[in-house]
Amino acid sequence: MVLSVKVKDIASAIEDFAPRRWQESYDNAGLQVGNPDMEVSAVLVCLDVTERILQEAIERGCNMIVSHHPLIFKGLKELTGHTAVERIAIEAIRGDIAIYSAHTNLDSAWDGVSHEVAHILGLCNLVTLDVKQGETRVGIGVVGDLDPVPKMEFLRRLKEDFAVKGLRYAAAWPGLVVKRVAVCGGAGAYLIPAAIKAGADAIVTGDVKYHDYTTYGEDILISDIGHYESEFCTRQILSRLIKDRFPECPVFGAETEENPIQIL
């Protein structure tokens, strides 16, 4: 006998790993749309909830979407269909499709987003970079050790491993050998000083600004692989959490997902 899986069961599986109390104050993780008691037929996992993703969920018979970035981030004051977020919310409600997001709580979890990036890079001896107050390992970013690799070889690996079309980086000295690396999925430029303090030779993140390069580029190899590229791995984390708890529940990675930032 196959036991039914409900929306709230999927949410519990994720929140046991990444409790919502770990999210940042500005965030809106959790159930965005839908009835927590609804039975789940199948789950579609994605980074961002778009109109194409919603249509894919409908076509594939998935009545639950689990994303990393919240659909409803700043709140809604009306549902008129004037914006993509409003249209998605309206159509999800109309189609009885639940939408759930695990955002900065997933970033803060041990073995969360930054850890997944670190594993892809082959880092070991991981330590949390920015520990939350009152916690020991919970927090944003990690730093770890890497088998020594020349700077340009390290950058070439980044470009290949994360399918980066345009890798942005800064490092003043050409002979750098990378042995210790800090990682933060998403927008992690604010952690550059902490990475330097932790003895990192390089930091891998996204959304680095011009003045971050000019301020810290001589102290650490700054590698901006892109926000999307650094968090695409969240799909694997979320899929794994659901499949491990409910192996009978079909879970699919979205096939229509695209990086919203194009490079000419």
Side-chain angles (χ1 to χ4, degrees), residues 120 153-164 167:
I120 294 171
E153 176 60 26
F154 175 76
L155 292 171
R156 280 191 286 269
R157 289 184 192 176
L158 278 182
K159 189 173 172 62
E160 180 178 348
D161 290 346
F162 295 92
V164 181
L167 177 63

Side-chain angles (χ1 to χ4, degrees), residues 7-175:
V7 169
K8 63 183 180 183
D9 299 326
I10 302 292
S12 292
I14 296 171
E15 291 174 16
D16 285 348
F17 176 81
R20 287 176 62 194
R21 68 178 183 274
W22 291 350
Q23 70 177 312
E24 299 298 311
S25 59
Y26 59 80
D27 202 5
N28 188 39
L31 186 61
Q32 311 274 294
V33 176
N35 181 353
D37 289 313
M38 182 180 73
E39 291 189 6
V40 177
S41 57
V43 180
L44 187 67
V45 176
C46 61
L47 181 59
D48 296 287
V49 185
T50 64
E51 291 179 279
R52 291 181 65 186
I53 294 289
L54 179 62
Q55 185 58 38
E56 180 181 349
I58 295 170
E59 292 174 356
R60 299 181 75 169
C62 300
N63 67 344
M64 185 173 186
I65 297 172
V66 175
S67 69
H68 180 49
H69 292 146
L71 170 68
I72 303 172
F73 194 70
K74 295 183 179 179
L76 294 174
K77 294 186 177 181
E78 59 185 24
L79 281 174
T80 61
H82 285 167
T83 68
V85 172
E86 291 175 18
R87 292 192 294 272
I88 293 167
I90 291 169
E91 291 304 315
I93 293 170
R94 183 179 291 158
D96 232 10
I97 296 175
I99 299 175
Y100 179 94
S101 302
H103 191 209
T104 53
N105 52 323
L106 193 66
D107 291 330
S108 292
W110 185 259
D111 273 341
V113 181
S114 295
H115 289 78
E116 195 77 9
V117 175
H119 295 325
I120 294 171
L121 292 174
L123 303 186
C124 61
N125 304 321
L126 298 180
V127 178
T128 303
L129 198 56
D130 184 19
V131 180
K132 283 187 174 294
Q133 186 174 4
E135 302 286 350
T136 54
R137 300 198 302 175
V138 176
I140 305 293
V142 295
V143 60
D145 299 323
L146 178 70
D147 288 339
V149 58
K151 177 186 73 175
M152 295 310 298
E153 176 60 26
F154 175 76
L155 292 171
R156 280 191 286 269
R157 289 184 192 176
L158 278 182
K159 189 173 172 62
E160 180 178 348
D161 290 346
F162 295 92
V164 181
K165 293 181 179 179
L167 177 63
R168 301 167 68 228
Y169 73 93
W173 59 104

Side-chain angles (χ1 to χ4, degrees), residues 201-236:
D201 303 303
I203 181 169
V204 178
T205 188
D207 298 348
V208 179
K209 296 180 180 179
Y210 176 85
H211 290 292
D212 295 321
Y213 291 110
T214 59
T215 302
Y216 302 110
E218 294 187 358
D219 300 314
I220 188 171
L221 170 58
I222 302 171
S223 310
D224 185 341
I225 64 174
H227 197 120
Y228 177 91
E229 290 84 351
S230 71
E231 291 191 325
F232 191 75
C233 62
T234 57
R235 294 164 37 126
Q236 289 94 300

